[in-house]
Amino acid sequence: MSAVKKIAILTSGGDSQGMNAAVRAVVRSGLFYGLEVYGIQRGYQGLLNNDIFAMDIRSVGDIIQRGGTILQSARCLEFKTPEGQQKGAQILRDRGIDGLVVIGGDGSYQGAEKLSKLGIKTMGLPGTIDNDISFTDYTIGFDTAVSIVVDAVNKLRDTMSSHERASVVEVMGRHCGDIALHAGLAAGAETILVPEVPFDLNEVADRMRQNFDNGKRHSIVIVAEGVGKGDDVVEAIKKRQPSLEPRATVLGHIQRGGSPTPFDRNLASRLGDFAVRSLIAGESNKACGMIGGEMVLTDIEKVVATKKQFNMELYELASRLSQ
């Protein structure tokens, strides 16, 4: 006998490519196992507004390749209060919904944890481009965001080489430098600045100058936003090496958009199906992740309390190859 009969799904926080693929997987897997599936518009705000609708196969047709989220997302300060959480749980109970799949980041997970303590079975899926969720190798949208950054750097390199200039590229990653690290390594950036590793701007500027003196026609510096603004890094380099003419490029929300890569589509599909099967098995208050290619469940409380470990081995590799 299934532990749940009716499940709902919402997307919360910043959107990430692959969220739609995850929604599709949850809906189709849920229907396959004989569950009623409901969508909640605009995250926790939509839950409090009772903006809930039944979903069927047609609801998720032709969305696996689309970026963004068809369920939309919105901030909700009310849900951060105990009263808001009680209201949300009661709305789900009134509709007979006993399982909820939440796709989002750390704040979204915390909301799911609160609901689980109020009797709603919950599953969290890691939907964030930053790759800052622990107990999963990759988050939904991360691979696509890295691909977008690499493509942008490739284009910048063409024009920077033509004018023999340096480019400072600011990418997303307030607390986690994974986008900068993985994109920097893949794009062959000379310097990668991330929140997890101390750096010396004097050394960055001197190295840039030396690269040009040695005959290089361009220099690429990738900066995670948690380090600081790209414009500030540019000014710091100019101050230390006035002869350099670096240009700042802020990729911003372009990193969130576009069609998800096959990797993100497959990851989202696997996680969505895994979440449904875990709810059916009676699990709750768990975060779904992929470690070493295998699906894993971890207590949400443990996930939100644990900082994602930075891959220093990969960072050191990028540093060696940039010489």
Side-chain angles (χ1 to χ4, degrees):
M1 181 69 69
S2 170
V4 295
K5 295 296 183 183
K6 296 182 180 181
I7 65 172
I9 180 171
L10 64 80
T11 53
S12 177
D15 62 306
S16 64
Q17 308 94 328
M19 278 186 166
N20 282 328
V23 170
R24 173 182 180 271
V26 170
V27 172
R28 294 197 170 194
S29 183
L31 294 174
F32 176 84
Y33 287 109
L35 306 180
E36 291 183 41
V37 185
Y38 294 82
I40 301 175
Q41 290 286 155
R42 300 179 184 84
Y44 290 114
Q45 185 62 62
L47 171 58
L48 297 186
N49 292 342
N50 211 342
D51 194 355
I52 303 172
F53 63 100
M55 299 189 77
D56 57 21
I57 292 292
R58 292 182 297 278
S59 302
V60 292
D62 197 32
I63 69 169
I64 194 171
Q65 81 284 2
R66 291 172 55 184
T69 163
I70 62 167
L71 294 180
Q72 300 178 281
S73 183
R75 295 183 182 276
C76 184
L77 296 178
E78 183 183 357
F79 192 76
K80 293 183 177 181
T81 67
E83 295 77 14
Q85 294 153 15
Q86 288 279 1
K87 178 181 177 182
Q90 189 59 52
I91 288 173
L92 292 172
R93 282 193 292 266
D94 289 344
R95 284 180 167 265
I97 295 172
D98 41 21
L100 177 67
V101 178
V102 174
I103 308 174
D106 185 77
S108 306
Y109 276 22
Q110 292 180 43
E113 182 186 11
K114 299 296 186 183
L115 288 173
S116 74
K117 293 179 178 179
L118 296 172
I120 306 298
K121 294 185 182 300
T122 59
M123 284 289 149
L125 298 189
T128 167
I129 66 170
D130 288 349
N131 205 39
D132 58 350
I133 301 295
S134 59
F135 299 99
T136 185
D137 291 339
Y138 302 106
T139 58
I140 298 168
F142 171 68
D143 185 68
T144 307
V146 169
S147 298
I148 289 170
V149 173
V150 171
D151 182 61
V153 172
N154 289 342
K155 291 179 171 66
L156 284 168
R157 192 188 299 276
D158 291 341
T159 187
M160 290 299 110
S161 296
S162 297
H163 296 277
E164 294 185 289
R165 286 177 178 162
S167 184
V168 175
V169 183
E170 179 188 323
V171 302
M172 286 186 171
R174 188 167 291 112
H175 305 293
C176 177
D178 275 17
I179 292 178
L181 172 60
H182 286 252
L185 176 60
E190 284 75 21
T191 303
I192 302 170
L193 305 182
V194 295
E196 295 89 345
V197 183
F199 60 90
D200 183 345
L201 280 175
N202 288 308
E203 181 180 328
V204 171
D206 291 345
R207 185 177 176 193
M208 188 179 290
R209 178 71 272 165
Q210 184 177 9
N211 285 340
F212 280 109
D213 290 344
N214 290 339
K216 291 200 70 170
R217 295 175 57 189
H218 62 264
S219 185
I220 304 291
V221 178
I222 296 188
V223 184
E225 63 181 339
V227 166
K229 294 183 179 297
D231 286 328
D232 293 338
V233 174
V234 163
E235 291 306 313
I237 291 172
K238 286 181 178 179
K239 182 178 180 180
R240 289 163 173 78
Q241 289 289 348
S243 62
L244 296 176
E245 294 185 84
R247 298 289 192 273
T249 300
V250 182
L251 296 183
H253 285 84
I254 192 174
Q255 294 161 89
R256 292 193 188 278
S259 183
T261 61
F263 180 89
D264 273 328
R265 298 183 198 189
N266 291 338
L267 175 63
S269 297
R270 292 183 67 189
L271 288 170
D273 173 72
F274 183 55
V276 171
R277 290 187 290 109
S278 297
L279 284 172
I280 291 172
E283 297 285 357
S284 178
N285 197 22
K286 301 291 185 181
C288 301
M290 183 183 74
I291 298 179
E294 299 296 325
M295 296 292 103
V296 297
L297 287 179
T298 309
D299 291 341
I300 289 181
E301 185 176 10
K302 185 176 181 181
V303 171
V304 298
T306 305
K307 180 176 173 58
K308 181 76 173 278
Q309 186 173 0
F310 186 70
N311 193 333
M312 278 302 300
E313 181 180 351
L314 203 62
Y315 181 84
E316 290 166 357
L317 170 63
S319 297
R320 291 195 299 272
L321 299 185
S322 67
Q323 299 299 320

